[in-house]
Amino acid sequence: MDHHKVIIVGSGPAGYTAALYAARANLSPLLYEGFFSGPAGGQLMSTTDVENYPGFPEGVTGPEMMDAFRKQCARFGTELLREDVESIDLSKRPYKVVGKKTTATCDALIIATGATAQRLEIPGAGEDGFWQKGVTACAICDGAMPIFREKELYVIGGGDSAVEEATFLTKYGSKVYIVHRREELRASKIMAKRAINHPKIEILWNSVITNIEGEKVVGSVTVQNVKTGAEEKRDAAGVFFAIGHKPNTDFIGGQLKTNPQGYLLVKPGTTYTDIEGVFAAGDVQDPIYRQAVTAAGSGCMAAIDAERWLSE
Ligand code: NAP
């Protein structure tokens, strides 16, 4: 069984950045990029243009950016493994990482497996329909795309994310509808008030979207009132899922402390989890910001935390 000073699990901006810093600190990290769990590169692999990552004034596609991250950490000696991690054993040191094909041990472990935006199986919303052609799960990433400018946009959800994303989208769309399945928002009172009072936001209560249609991109949605059953086809250029994220922690088997939503808990201002030598970076520990740039920043923090912990 191979032993490594540092193993990193996860291949989004957090994992690759942690690997870059760990490799440059001569820690020869091993990084599990995942395989069946999704393409190496994480959520950005299903994003088109990334226009909010500093340093790319003309924007860059998510896959191009992740390819560059990957090459950069490989250049400094990261060992990359296209394999899913099935479980970890944190009961004793060295920690054991059990992959689909290989098992390895490490002194320090960095978990950067991200979170998955929840989506609904609405006809027209999938990859064979309008996914990334007007349907997305991240208004902040995709909202500024030209196809949404001065058009009617629909946000599904009733929590803080839905309100925040709808408010963000008012900068681009002519009108933003929040489609919520109940008649009361889950969002905090102050955020809910902001949405209800916003002149460009209208909330469609007790409503769900049952169909998405269009030609090359989204052109219309069918909205159903769940109380009356009445359906209405409406013009639409965008559908944004804001129904929550699920942090990718199943393989941890409850060995690390989490918040009630399942995000890994870290000591504030650091990447230290509650088990010594185990660090968490990126969306798996971040229910709030969830941006590529914040994930990359916390990946850098995790590598520095791990390096200092190892040298102590
Ligand atoms: P959330 O609070 O869990 O809200 C998810 C929303 O999606 C709920 O309104 C829920 O409806 C709806 N939903 C879930 N499954 C659905 C389905 N199958 N069909 C239709 N609707 C569905 O998630 P979130 O808004 O992403 O927020 C997550 C956490 O981050 C929260 O703690 C939130 O406060 C925090 N957050 C904070 C800020 C901020 O302070 N600026 C911004 C964003 C997020 P129901 O209400 O009927 O369950």
Side-chain angles (χ1 to χ4, degrees), residues 120 156-162 164 180-182 186 191 242-245 261 287 290:
L120 296 174
I156 303 176
D160 282 330
S161 294
E164 193 171 66
H180 186 34
R181 62 183 175 183
R182 293 189 292 134
R186 178 178 295 281
M191 302 262 294
I243 58 168
H245 284 70
Q261 286 82 39
R290 296 194 293 240

Side-chain angles (χ1 to χ4, degrees), residues 43-200:
Q43 291 186 78
L44 280 171
M45 298 303 285
S46 58
T47 305
T48 48
D49 291 324
V50 180
E51 293 181 322
N52 55 7
Y53 199 94
F56 296 92
E58 306 305 326
V60 58
T61 70
E64 269 169 5
M65 188 160 99
M66 284 302 94
D67 189 47
F69 269 57
R70 186 171 194 273
K71 286 187 179 135
Q72 195 174 357
C73 70
R75 179 181 152 211
F76 291 100
T78 302
E79 188 185 336
L80 297 159
L81 219 50
R82 283 265 162 99
E83 192 177 325
D84 288 320
V85 169
E86 299 201 317
S87 65
I88 53 178
D89 182 358
L90 306 178
S91 62
K92 55 181 185 300
R93 300 217 304 247
Y95 301 130
K96 193 157 73 163
V97 177
V98 181
K100 189 108 184 136
K101 290 185 270 180
T102 60
T103 298
T105 56
C106 60
D107 299 319
L109 179 64
I110 297 176
I111 297 173
T113 42
T116 305
Q118 309 274 50
R119 285 155 62 174
L120 296 174
E121 286 184 14
I122 300 169
E127 267 83 5
D128 54 350
F130 298 101
W131 176 248
Q132 290 297 325
K133 293 174 191 151
V135 180
T136 105
C138 182
I140 291 168
C141 321
D142 301 323
M145 283 166 66
I147 56 168
F148 301 130
R149 299 281 163 107
E150 291 306 317
K151 296 279 172 55
E152 296 183 27
L153 308 176
Y154 287 76
V155 176
I156 303 176
D160 282 330
S161 294
V163 168
E164 193 171 66
E165 303 217 344
T167 309
F168 179 79
L169 290 170
T170 58
K171 285 193 259 183
Y172 306 106
S174 56
K175 178 107 188 180
V176 182
Y177 296 93
I178 294 179
V179 184
H180 186 34
R181 62 183 175 183
R182 293 189 292 134
E183 55 199 8
E184 188 190 0
L185 291 175
R186 178 178 295 281
S188 56
K189 293 257 173 322
I190 186 160
M191 302 262 294
K193 201 169 155 199
R194 205 174 293 161
I196 289 164
N197 293 338
H198 198 293
K200 278 174 91 176

Side-chain angles (χ1 to χ4, degrees), residues 197-217:
N197 293 338
H198 198 293
K200 278 174 91 176
I201 297 178
E202 184 179 331
I203 304 177
L204 305 178
W205 303 106
N206 299 312
S207 296
V208 294
I209 291 181
T210 55
N211 197 20
I212 301 170
E213 289 175 286
E215 288 179 11
K216 288 195 172 125
V217 294

